[in-house]
């Protein structure tokens, strides 16, 4: 979270991670885009995956709920909404 880390740590913290959990503000900041809808969230997760090689992302969005953007061992993507 802002003020609690140095961005230079991100490749080590997220690089190749099997699981990552972020909130909407963190993902928006890392992907440098507004997360106005689920399509924008998915594009931001894809940008995060491209940048750091992480696989599965849990995203919390306050009153909008939470999402799991997952890729299974066969490469099949699915999104879980709560």
């Amino acid at each position: 979270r802002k003020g609690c880390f140095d961005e230079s740590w991100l490749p080590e913290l997220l690089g190749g991670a099997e699981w990552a959990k972020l909130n909407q503000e963190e993902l928006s900041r890392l992907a440098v885009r507004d997360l106005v809808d689920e399509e924008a969230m998915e594009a931001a997760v894809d940008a995060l995956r491209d940048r750091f090689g992480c696989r599965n992302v849990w995203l919390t969005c306050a009153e909008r709920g939470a999402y799991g953007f997952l890729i299974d061992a066969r490469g099949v993507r699915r999104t879980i909404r709560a």
Side-chain angles (χ1 to χ4, degrees):
R1 293 193 165 93
K2 191 174 182 177
C4 296
F5 74 98
D6 184 313
E7 286 204 34
S8 68
W9 303 344
L10 291 175
E12 185 174 348
L13 294 172
L14 291 175
E18 185 70 25
W19 298 95
K21 186 275 176 193
L22 298 101
N23 65 39
Q24 184 175 347
E25 180 183 324
E26 293 163 340
L27 180 59
S28 179
R29 183 170 176 219
L30 290 176
V32 191
R33 67 181 71 209
D34 291 329
L35 305 179
V36 296
D37 56 23
E38 192 173 314
E39 187 175 312
M41 288 186 256
E42 193 163 344
V45 168
D46 285 342
L48 187 76
R49 286 174 171 149
D50 289 346
R51 184 173 172 194
F52 297 108
C54 49
R55 185 178 186 94
N56 301 295
V57 177
W58 294 104
L59 179 65
T60 55
C61 302
E63 67 278 349
R64 289 170 63 182
Y67 297 81
F69 296 94
L70 313 175
I71 301 176
D72 70 17
R74 297 176 314 241
V76 177
R77 295 170 174 250
R78 76 180 170 140
T79 301
I80 298 171
R81 296 161 197 84

